[in-house]
Amino acid sequence: MGRADRGRPQPRGPRALLLPGQGGTGKSRPGGPGPGRPLGLRPPPSCRGDPGPRGRVGAWRRRRARGWRVMPWLPRAALLWDVVLGFLGTAAFLIDLGADLWAAGQYVLSGRYLCAAMVLALLGLASVALQLFSWVWLRADPAGLHAPQPPGRCLALLHVLQLGYLYRCVQGLQQGLLVWQQEAPSEFDLAYADFLTLDISMLRLFETFLETTPQLTLVLAIVLQSGRAESYQWVGICTSFVGISWALLDYHRALRTCLPSKSPLGLGSSVVYFLWNLLLLWPRVLAVALFSALFPRYVALHFVGLWLVLLFWVWLQGTDFMPGACSEWLYRATVATILYFCWFSVAEGRTRGRAAIHLAFLLGDSVLMVVTWWTHIPWLPSGIPVRMLLPASGICFLLGLALRLVYYHWLHPSCRWEPDRVDGTQGLHPVEWRRLPHNRRMAQLARCFFPRVRDEAALPWKGDVNGVL
């Protein structure tokens, strides 16, 4: 028996439940975080998903034959669905990148060099911000967590070449396929797949509001100024709206993996969440586009003014998401950009009150921009039915607000957070659980996004005694 197993009650009988690192032979499992292994380190590739008789699957089969009940694994269909969604997300990113380059080329060919420069500038700024986030997170993760991975210089070169996000996408797809191919995936492999998925979802959300949403506003302003829309512009408008709502839905779905119960996002909840984000985002984007079409020189001042106010508000909430002070300001600046278009929760507390204040603030600002546009309506071409778009936008806003209330009243989960994640109590969970990789930064955002039940949050799990459930 290893040093870490001394004094620990061993599972007996058919009703015992094995945890990672607790074998029936008194030895540490080769793939698990055994004794002497630093916390958070990733097992070597030879120990992950070994299909042989001496690997994880073989051990699982022997224990099942002896009557052991092992930890329940996720269904293979759900794991395959996660891989498919990851592939679709990566493909959507590449398609969006190609559409942006195509639009920039069309603007150059038509002689609108300023529009092409703005499209490329937004694309470049968003890409640089994404690489910075990815690099800072990789440097802050525990040493050896992502092993095996390229050397530090190769990783730095990938991020300099603006390929860091794609590298993470490929890494997430590889880990998802590895987990799906195993008959009995290990707890470590499942937790590591969730770890990678959470980072990718967060980066996709940042890319959406740093590049896709501003470019959508720019395209709408160009269409309003010219009075007509080209085919590539219509395609870009439709794909942008769907992509933005999908990024919010994927981010919300990823946050649910941080919940204690890991409750999945059902089809009904997904549809309602998707629709209310889409319906509330459309009026805001249209209001900014109308103002941009009339006053292209003043929209930058408007954005900077509101962005500074929102940045100050984020700073007052005391965010602590990034590992360093400089990188934290990068995160706050990105959150302020997201808040310019929609709501984003970054701190625990009375989220409902802050969301109501933000909604009233954006609604008042949008109404002022629409009123300003209405007083200068003769300046725009008559080919765009703007008078019909405004009532439709008002209906979309009311319908989106109603769906948002329905979602948060009946479909939003309330959680009992583990003491280890809330109160910092390390002794209430088994040592093996704490050795699994947990995405602390995303778990912090999940605590801000989902309410928690306070009366049982400070209590340990029922039946959790000395690592035996």
Side-chain angles (χ1 to χ4, degrees):
M1 181 180 299
R3 183 177 301 175
D5 295 330
R6 294 175 183 174
R8 178 185 300 167
Q10 297 297 318
R12 300 179 183 275
R15 296 180 60 83
L17 191 62
L18 290 179
L19 292 167
Q22 280 189 311
T25 61
K27 297 181 181 180
S28 301
R29 295 172 59 188
R37 178 180 178 80
L39 298 182
L41 291 184
R42 181 162 175 72
S46 59
C47 299
R48 291 187 278 113
D50 183 9
R54 297 184 180 181
R56 290 181 181 272
V57 176
W60 183 77
R61 288 172 178 170
R62 292 194 300 271
R63 287 165 182 164
R64 184 176 60 179
R66 289 198 295 261
W68 295 93
R69 290 176 58 196
V70 299
M71 292 285 285
W73 312 118
L74 293 176
R76 291 178 61 84
L79 296 176
L80 179 60
W81 181 242
D82 290 339
V83 175
V84 171
L85 290 180
F87 176 79
L88 292 178
T90 306
F93 171 78
L94 295 176
I95 292 174
D96 181 67
L97 177 62
D100 293 339
L101 297 178
W102 178 36
Q106 292 295 321
Y107 288 140
V108 170
L109 294 177
S110 60
R112 291 181 282 189
Y113 301 107
L114 181 59
C115 296
M118 294 181 66
V119 169
L120 294 178
L122 291 173
L123 182 63
L125 289 176
S127 180
V128 170
L130 237 62
Q131 309 309 317
L132 288 176
F133 277 114
S134 176
W135 176 251
V136 171
W137 292 348
L138 284 176
R139 300 286 292 178
D141 290 338
L145 173 63
H146 303 288
Q149 68 177 3
R153 293 184 178 180
C154 293
L155 281 177
L157 181 60
L158 284 175
H159 286 78
V160 170
L161 296 177
Q162 308 301 303
L163 298 176
Y165 175 72
L166 284 177
Y167 165 76
R168 281 180 171 272
C169 292
V170 173
Q171 188 183 25
L173 289 176
Q174 289 179 346
Q175 181 65 20
L177 288 173
L178 173 67
V179 172
W180 176 70
Q181 290 172 355
Q182 298 179 27
E183 180 181 351
S186 67
E187 285 289 318
F188 193 98
D189 287 338
L190 290 172
Y192 185 64
D194 289 340
F195 188 99
L196 296 177
T197 301
L198 288 169
D199 278 351
I200 293 172
S201 298
M202 192 67 180
L203 291 174
R204 183 180 295 120
L205 184 72
F206 288 165
E207 188 269 340
T208 297
F209 284 96
L210 292 176
E211 184 257 329
T212 306
T213 310
Q215 283 192 1
L216 172 62
T217 308
L218 175 63
V219 171
L220 286 176
I222 294 173
V223 171
L224 291 172
Q225 284 181 342
S226 61
R228 58 188 180 89
E230 304 294 339
S231 58
Y232 66 90
Q233 291 176 329
W234 281 118
V235 172
I237 291 172
C238 296
T239 55
S240 296
F241 269 115
V242 175
I244 292 168
S245 300
W246 177 258
L248 289 170
L249 179 64
D250 180 68
Y251 168 75
H252 179 52
R253 175 180 169 274
L255 282 187
R256 290 213 177 194
T257 62
C258 298
L259 299 182
S261 59
K262 294 187 182 293
S263 56
L265 188 62
L267 179 60
S269 302
S270 302
V271 172
V272 173
Y273 192 86
F274 179 87
L275 287 178
W276 79 254
N277 278 287
L278 182 65
L279 294 175
L280 287 183
L281 185 64
W282 159 248
R284 175 61 180 175
V285 172
L286 179 61
V288 177
L290 287 173
F291 189 80
S292 304
L294 288 175
F295 308 103
R297 298 182 180 179
Y298 295 105
V299 68
L301 296 177
H302 173 269
F303 170 77
V304 172
L306 261 67
W307 180 80
L308 290 176
V309 173
L310 295 171
L311 180 63
F312 179 71
W313 191 40
V314 174
W315 173 73
L316 288 179
Q317 297 182 51
T319 60
D320 187 18
F321 182 76
M322 302 295 287
C326 297
S327 57
E328 185 66 29
W329 278 106
L330 174 64
Y331 169 72
R332 291 169 181 170
T334 304
V335 170
T337 306
I338 297 176
L339 290 174
Y340 183 82
F341 294 100
C342 69
W343 167 247
F344 187 75
S345 181
V346 294
E348 294 186 70
R350 297 185 177 274
T351 308
R352 185 181 303 174
R354 290 196 297 265
I357 294 173
H358 176 265
L359 179 63
F361 181 78
L362 285 192
L363 179 60
D365 180 69
S366 300
V367 169
L368 287 177
M369 287 190 291
V370 171
V371 170
T372 304
W373 166 83
W374 191 269
T375 59
H376 300 80
I377 190 172
W379 292 9
L380 289 178
S382 59
I384 303 297
V386 184
R387 294 181 182 271
M388 298 177 56
L389 293 177
L390 289 180
S393 299
I395 296 175
C396 288
F397 176 82
L398 295 177
L399 184 58
L401 184 60
L403 290 177
R404 183 177 182 180
L405 294 176
V406 168
Y407 172 81
Y408 280 106
H409 191 271
W410 284 288
L411 302 176
H412 200 57
S414 296
C415 312
R416 294 178 175 87
W417 289 99
E418 297 94 326
D420 183 76
R421 298 188 184 183
V422 177
D423 300 326
T425 306
Q426 297 288 338
L428 298 180
H429 289 294
V431 176
E432 291 82 2
W433 184 90
R434 296 200 301 270
R435 287 175 177 171
L436 296 177
H438 295 285
N439 200 316
R440 300 292 181 180
R441 46 184 172 264
M442 296 299 294
Q444 179 182 358
L445 287 179
R447 290 197 301 269
C448 303
F449 193 80
F450 297 104
R452 56 191 173 98
V453 181
R454 299 179 182 276
D455 54 349
E456 299 185 16
L459 298 178
W461 288 349
K462 295 181 180 180
D464 190 348
V465 181
N466 294 328
V468 179
L469 299 179

